[in-house]
Amino acid sequence: MDERLTRKLRILADAAKYDASCASSGAPKRSAGRGGIGSTNRIGICHSYTPDGRCVSLLKILLTNYCLFDCAYCINRRSSNVERARFSVQEVVDITIAFYKRNYIEGLFLSSGIIRSPDYTMEQLVLVAKSLRQQHGYRGYIHLKTIPEASPWLVEQAGLWADRLSVNLELPTDEGLKSFAPEKQAGTIKAAMGQMRERIEEAEAERRSFSPAGQSTQLIVGADGASDADMLRTTANLYDRYALRRVYFSAFSPIPDSTSRLPAKAPPLQRENRLYQADWLLRHYEFGVEEIASATEGGMLDLEVDPKLAWALKNRARFPVDVNKADREMLLRVPGLGARAVDKIVRARRHTTLRLDDLKRLSGALKRSLPFLIAADHHPGGSTDRADLRARLVQPAAKQLALF
Amino acid sequence: MREIALQPGADLAGFRQAVRGLVADGIPPEQIEWTVAEPSLFGAEPAGDARSDAPPLRLPRPVAELVEEVVPHRDPERYALLYDVIWRVTHGRRGLLEIASDPVVHRLELMRKSVRRDIHKMHAYVRFRQIETAPGEPERYAAWFEPDYFILQAATPFFVERFRAMRWRIVTPIGTAEWDGVTLRFGPSGSRADVPSGDAFEAGWTGYYESTFNPARANPKLMQQHMAKKYWRNMPEAATISNLVRSASSRVERMLEEGPTVPTKRMPEGALAAMLEQAPASLAELNAIIRSSGPLVPGATQAVVGEGPEHADIIFVGEQPGDEEDIQGRPFVGPAGRLLDRAMAEAGIDRKDVYLTNAVKHFKFEQRGKRRIHAKPTAGEVSHYRWWLMRELELIEPKLVVALGGTAVLALTGKQVPITRARGPAKLLEDFPGYITVHPSYLLRLPDEDAKRTAYTAFVDDMRRIRDMGRAARSRVAAE
Ligand code: SF4
């Protein structure tokens, strides 16, 4: 790889790194055909981790960081002074294949600033995906960013070649978008999501391949005044209306060359983490968004305890729960018990009566659960209702960053 | 006491054979001593004093899987623990694995988890380096990797599925896997020196790695939970980690101190305005777009776009191109097209005056022997192509839109309508008067001659009404 290309790669990776909507790279299982390379698995692989603890799975780059738009939160907005660069379609294809063959990456995540016109830009993105598939018989993962302002037919072409399409809503409220992203419109973005949902569902019904790994989006945390409850309501709405696979949260992070309109401070990582936990409760723990919202203070999630524990502390009358008798839904609500541990409990108790020693082998975070559950040799007694319960359960700060 | 000596490494075959004999002889776990033979002292010996004539043992699927996945572990007790589970499962506790809280099951599950993790990490962290080959020869790659357990056999099929077209070798301290494009072979262990010491893309990859890191989120502990230090020495990008961690906080401080910059006053009004005019401005532009797009269902030779004058009074919308259309790249040139030509001529419509197009622009077919049999487009496919059809209508601004058959009606209205009932003038779209009739291929499919003749006469009648409606609409416009 020559100097010039490496330089471009640095600029265009730097420009893409604030987009977290590509965290997953799983797709229906597929393997390389004769004469080709590339496979996908249900769960994508992280080929490396950067010192921020984040997974490096895809080659995440922009085609170009020139942009006609002026979104305040974005390093690539037209009024920023960053160094600009542009890849040719062939360059992106070549780097992707070279990296893939060395097992550095799981695939490509390609986005772009908007140059010339949304259609032109989208066409270039589609062209990259198409040449990877057609010229190289490449069957690895491809995630393309949809430019919502592009014509529908282009979005549809993109879905033929990509595993996943995504368009970032970025700001959860229409007002936020209006003031920080003047050229963008919530309506256009949502129309694009709606179109993608329709096509994805039709293709599934007709057993064709169209964006088989679905669509996702990203919301920026802490750039505008939206509360956690706002974020979560938007999130639940997106899952519901557009059948998104995932909503990703990205703590607004200081960028070089920032605008005075946005906070210049450390990214609210803890808040981001709590939002992810709440999102998890929505998707896998049968929580309703208003239940989570009811356990917030002024719409903000508790930063010291996870949202499930926060909910349990406000609903103590529903505890303690007997692990040998309670149904699955209620076990899922016990702080510290993950879905996997719950499944193990449900299976094991068919054969045996569970005691604390057994539970220790089934769950990694039992300490947090003790005040909320009953086992054959354990009853929390009055401790469920102790006034200082929350204080006793606050985790040491160092642990708080781990996602569960 | 029975002593069972297994081969070093993951001796699945030896363990299986031993277990068969032991269960057949009714030997309980506490009477067995499991040992591992010194590496290749006597070559591949049968496992200890296990018998080789014992009948095969039927184990529940989950138990067999557990055995396969745990055997590659290094824990010297793994065979004894597995036998303990097998013994209990074959003696009245078939559901034993469901009790994840059982101490032995729990330990084995932990082992399985670490073996899986090891395999997963191998898939993730192997780094291939290209081996120089003569021009024209297939590319070759090699990697050095140090797994924790005996997972080479279990982990390498993944690389075959992924890198089928490449020739590669993965060298490890527990053996070598080699793929020549056809067969995966296992050989003796090797050393780091067996693979090239660098690769032309490592600098670029490291540059990417550095750039994709956001110093404002530095969290090296979290990184190490996922990517333990032991892997770093075989990952080119890891050389830069300490530097990235060291400089992170000062980089962030600088960003915060520098604060907002004076924005470049870029008000590219011209460009922004031009950007909004991205829709194709002429049929030629639209057709160029259609031609350059891929078919929804692979197979078609080319896109077949509409044909006729740019501002025709009447537009005929068919279903999709057929075999001959696909080859010639023109609409309505096959048998159905010829029939349409004939009917139009009899009704006094000149084909050159009207615009002919299809709801779907690519031929879809099933291959039967040498013949390509037309396959009906699905509703989803029709709506995919709808956007283009609507642009065609907007650009042509016809006085009358004729839907030939059900697919055309679906494309124009979004609804399925029975043609026989809806036939005749119809409201297809807000802006244009419409007319529904059958698709000419329907006439070709009718089984007997009488029915064909009647249907053809009715079709020509339709064409006459269409001709008249087109004329009337034109004179109306002229009068306005
Ligand atoms: S459109 Fe907005 S968010 Fe996208 S690159 Fe341009 S400025 Fe950034």
Side-chain angles (χ1 to χ4, degrees):
Chain A
M1 233 173 118
D2 64 40
E3 277 290 313
R4 195 190 51 94
L5 199 58
T6 306
R7 176 91 206 113
K8 273 207 245 183
L9 177 59
R10 279 176 177 275
I11 295 171
L12 292 167
D14 200 74
K17 71 179 165 203
Y18 302 98
D19 193 336
S21 68
C22 67
S24 147
S25 53
K29 196 171 162 50
R30 201 165 60 205
S31 54
R34 283 184 56 191
I37 56 164
S39 60
T40 51
N41 291 81
R42 286 261 152 218
I43 309 215
I45 298 172
C46 295
H47 286 270
S48 196
Y49 290 84
T50 41
D52 44 23
R54 291 214 280 190
C55 161
V56 182
S57 182
L58 304 173
L59 173 64
K60 175 162 59 170
I61 47 175
L62 298 190
L63 191 64
T64 176
N65 62 344
Y66 289 99
C67 189
L68 285 171
F69 283 21
D70 205 26
C71 311
Y73 46 78
C74 176
I75 183 175
N76 306 314
R77 66 191 187 286
R78 65 167 186 260
S79 58
S80 128
N81 301 302
V82 293
E83 188 178 354
R84 310 277 172 169
R86 180 176 174 184
F87 276 134
S88 71
V89 166
Q90 195 57 45
E91 283 168 340
V92 177
V93 169
D94 291 345
I95 297 180
T96 306
I97 292 291
F99 280 12
Y100 196 86
K101 282 184 170 171
R102 284 155 182 79
N103 204 39
Y104 300 159
I105 53 169
E106 199 64 4
L108 173 67
F109 171 88
L110 187 64
S111 177
S112 182
I114 294 173
I115 40 167
R116 244 195 268 180
S117 75
D119 269 9
Y120 175 79
T121 309
M122 191 73 218
E123 224 181 310
Q124 300 291 303
L125 299 183
V126 173
L127 220 57
V128 169
K130 195 168 162 181
S131 2
L132 279 169
R133 298 276 191 237
Q134 292 193 325
Q135 285 172 17
H136 294 271
Y138 169 81
R139 294 223 185 129
Y141 189 86
I142 300 177
H143 179 156
L144 291 186
K145 210 80 207 167
T146 301
I147 314 280
E149 294 78 11
S151 304
W153 71 270
L154 271 166
V155 177
E156 310 202 335
Q157 288 286 311
L160 300 184
W161 311 108
D163 287 286
R164 176 171 275 185
L165 297 176
S166 72
V167 27
N168 284 357
L169 190 56
E170 306 291 15
L171 299 176
T173 63
D174 293 3
E175 302 82 70
L177 262 179
K178 216 172 279 161
S179 69
F180 292 116
E183 285 90 6
K184 288 191 181 173
Q185 267 165 359
T188 313
I189 297 177
K190 288 178 178 167
M193 287 179 173
Q195 185 203 1
M196 291 193 278
R197 172 187 187 162
E198 239 175 62
R199 294 295 166 271
I200 290 168
E201 288 178 353
E202 273 167 9
E204 261 165 28
E206 294 170 2
R207 292 167 193 281
R208 275 184 287 116
S209 176
F210 184 91
S211 187
Q215 58 167 329
S216 58
T217 196
Q218 162 174 288
L219 295 174
I220 300 180
V221 182
D224 63 350
S227 72
D228 291 343
D230 290 338
M231 304 276 266
L232 291 169
R233 285 193 189 104
T234 301
T235 301
N237 185 276
L238 290 171
Y239 284 135
D240 205 43
R241 301 240 328 242
Y242 306 107
L244 295 194
R245 278 306 158 82
R246 283 296 300 272
V247 173
Y248 293 97
F249 304 99
S250 183
F252 181 69
S253 183
I255 45 177
D257 209 37
S258 60
T259 154
S260 53
R261 300 175 57 212
L262 287 165
K265 54 181 186 217
L269 295 178
Q270 182 65 309
R271 201 182 150 197
E272 176 193 284
N273 181 44
R274 292 294 177 228
L275 281 165
Y276 270 119
Q277 290 175 323
D279 169 73
W280 208 265
L281 296 182
L282 287 178
R283 291 186 303 128
H284 301 296
Y285 286 76
E286 296 166 38
F287 272 76
V289 68
E290 291 310 324
E291 284 182 300
I292 301 173
S294 74
T296 58
E297 291 297 337
M300 299 306 277
L301 294 166
D302 192 329
L303 289 183
E304 288 180 339
V305 301
D306 68 77
K308 193 155 108 175
L309 179 53
W311 179 85
L313 287 167
K314 292 218 167 153
N315 292 276
R316 298 192 201 189
R318 301 183 60 174
F319 297 97
V321 166
D322 189 336
V323 290
N324 286 301
K325 292 195 195 109
D327 56 18
R328 185 170 184 274
E329 284 67 45
M330 201 53 218
L331 287 175
L332 283 175
R333 303 228 157 194
V334 175
L337 281 192
R340 272 216 219 136
V342 167
D343 289 338
K344 284 186 195 164
I345 289 173
V346 172
R347 236 176 288 136
R349 72 186 184 185
R350 279 187 233 141
H351 306 274
T352 176
T353 306
L354 296 168
R355 310 169 68 81
L356 270 195
D357 270 345
D358 295 320
L359 291 177
K360 268 185 211 137
R361 286 189 284 263
L362 297 181
S363 162
L366 197 62
K367 243 178 93 192
R368 220 171 341 143
S369 317
L370 287 180
F372 300 96
L373 54 78
I374 298 169
D377 56 349
H378 167 79
H379 194 291
S383 74
T384 318
D385 298 317
R386 285 176 67 134
D388 63 348
L389 183 58
R390 181 180 178 283
R392 300 172 61 148
L393 291 172
V394 167
Q395 293 164 277
K399 274 198 166 171
Q400 290 182 2
L401 274 177
L403 279 173
F404 67 119
Chain B
M1 211 57 176
R2 271 225 210 168
E3 195 192 315
I4 306 286
L6 296 175
Q7 293 300 312
D11 187 6
L12 186 60
F15 179 67
R16 274 201 190 117
Q17 194 191 354
V19 167
R20 268 182 226 144
L22 293 168
V23 173
D25 293 348
I27 316 285
E30 56 277 12
Q31 286 177 28
I32 308 167
E33 196 182 334
W34 297 89
T35 59
V36 171
E38 284 302 311
S40 65
L41 217 50
F42 312 101
E45 287 275 298
D49 60 355
R51 3 181 310 199
S52 53
D53 57 342
L57 179 63
R58 294 201 149 266
L59 288 177
R61 186 91 212 109
V63 181
E65 277 169 13
L66 181 72
V67 171
E68 261 176 52
E69 291 192 82
V70 168
V71 163
H73 204 277
R74 280 184 190 272
D75 190 321
E77 285 185 66
R78 65 192 184 280
Y79 294 118
L81 295 171
L82 283 171
Y83 187 68
D84 178 83
V85 164
I86 293 171
W87 179 260
R88 283 191 282 159
V89 166
T90 49
H91 288 78
R93 301 288 306 272
R94 283 192 79 81
L96 178 62
L97 285 197
E98 299 216 319
I99 311 176
S101 56
D102 177 274
V104 175
V105 174
H106 175 65
R107 241 186 99 185
L108 287 169
E109 288 292 355
L110 288 180
M111 285 186 208
R112 157 147 68 187
K113 210 167 143 190
S114 358
V115 170
R116 278 189 186 168
R117 191 180 160 87
D118 200 31
I119 292 174
H120 185 81
K121 293 298 178 195
M122 178 163 177
H123 295 166
Y125 300 151
V126 155
R127 296 285 181 262
F128 282 117
R129 286 170 166 166
Q130 192 165 10
I131 301 174
E132 268 187 60
T133 45
E137 273 187 39
E139 290 179 354
R140 291 179 60 215
Y141 294 84
W144 164 251
F145 189 76
E146 296 161 286
D148 287 340
Y149 306 115
F150 304 106
I151 54 163
L152 193 62
Q153 271 80 355
T156 36
F158 164 87
F159 294 100
V160 173
E161 288 191 356
R162 179 156 290 193
F163 303 113
R164 202 179 295 279
M166 287 165 36
R167 316 277 182 273
W168 49 260
R169 261 151 66 78
I170 301 174
V171 186
T172 78
I174 54 160
T176 299
E178 175 143 21
W179 171 252
D180 61 6
V182 183
T183 322
L184 179 63
R185 287 195 185 84
F186 296 99
S189 62
S191 76
R192 192 190 304 271
D194 298 335
V195 309
S197 55
D199 184 281
F201 280 86
E202 285 181 356
W205 165 241
T206 304
Y208 170 75
Y209 177 81
E210 286 175 335
S211 305
T212 199
F213 164 61
N214 178 356
R217 303 182 61 113
N219 187 352
K221 250 205 198 127
L222 185 59
M223 167 184 65
Q224 283 194 44
Q225 272 172 29
H226 295 297
M227 192 168 84
K229 268 201 170 136
K230 66 180 175 199
Y231 296 113
W232 294 8
R233 58 171 180 266
N234 296 323
M235 301 170 79
E237 70 272 25
T240 175
I241 290 176
S242 63
N243 203 0
L244 288 177
V245 173
R246 221 178 314 112
S247 61
S249 58
S250 62
R251 281 170 70 191
V252 178
E253 269 161 38
R254 209 174 328 124
M255 275 190 273
L256 294 179
E257 270 166 24
E258 277 172 8
T261 47
V262 182
T264 322
K265 278 272 178 292
R266 246 185 236 121
M267 275 313 290
E269 265 128 17
L272 283 171
M275 178 179 91
L276 298 174
E277 288 168 10
Q278 57 178 3
S282 66
L283 269 182
E285 264 181 60
L286 175 69
N287 287 339
I289 292 174
I290 298 175
R291 284 208 189 87
S292 68
S293 305
L296 199 48
V297 179
T301 317
Q302 56 187 317
V304 177
V305 298
E307 196 176 274
E310 177 109 32
H311 291 292
D313 289 333
I314 307 176
I315 173 169
F316 285 88
V317 181
E319 186 187 60
Q320 73 174 344
D323 184 67
E324 288 181 45
E325 283 87 1
D326 177 65
I327 291 161
Q328 293 188 35
R330 293 183 52 205
F332 291 99
V333 293
R338 286 192 287 272
L339 191 64
L340 176 67
D341 282 353
R342 213 178 102 196
M344 285 200 294
E346 276 181 44
I349 301 176
D350 191 340
R351 176 174 167 141
K352 286 199 289 303
D353 292 341
V354 299
Y355 194 84
L356 297 168
T357 190
N358 281 300
V360 168
K361 308 291 192 239
H362 290 98
F363 179 39
K364 181 170 111 175
F365 56 89
E366 273 167 36
Q367 191 79 44
R368 282 210 211 115
K370 284 210 177 119
R371 291 182 57 205
R372 306 194 295 172
I373 309 291
H374 163 99
K376 197 176 156 65
T378 63
E381 286 154 28
V382 171
S383 48
H384 256 280
Y385 287 91
R386 188 161 196 259
W387 192 84
W388 285 334
L389 183 61
M390 293 302 139
R391 293 293 86 72
E392 270 181 297
L393 288 170
E394 280 171 21
L395 290 166
I396 294 169
E397 295 184 292
K399 315 271 178 320
L400 180 65
V401 179
V402 180
L404 298 170
T407 303
V409 177
L410 175 67
L412 291 164
T413 64
K415 282 188 284 261
Q416 306 265 12
V417 177
I419 295 303
T420 36
R421 243 186 292 146
R423 194 163 180 165
K427 182 144 191 75
L428 294 169
L429 294 159
E430 272 307 313
D431 300 335
F432 313 103
Y435 194 99
I436 296 178
T437 181
V438 296
H439 193 277
S441 66
Y442 161 79
L443 305 177
L444 294 173
R445 283 195 306 268
L446 285 173
D448 73 284
E449 284 307 314
D450 272 354
K452 253 193 193 134
R453 216 167 301 124
T454 329
Y456 180 71
T457 314
F459 190 57
V460 174
D461 283 345
D462 275 337
M463 289 300 141
R464 289 205 181 93
R465 290 182 73 185
I466 290 165
R467 176 202 63 200
D468 294 344
M469 283 173 74
R471 277 190 195 148
R474 189 174 40 210
S475 47
R476 219 178 18 254
V477 173
E480 270 166 14

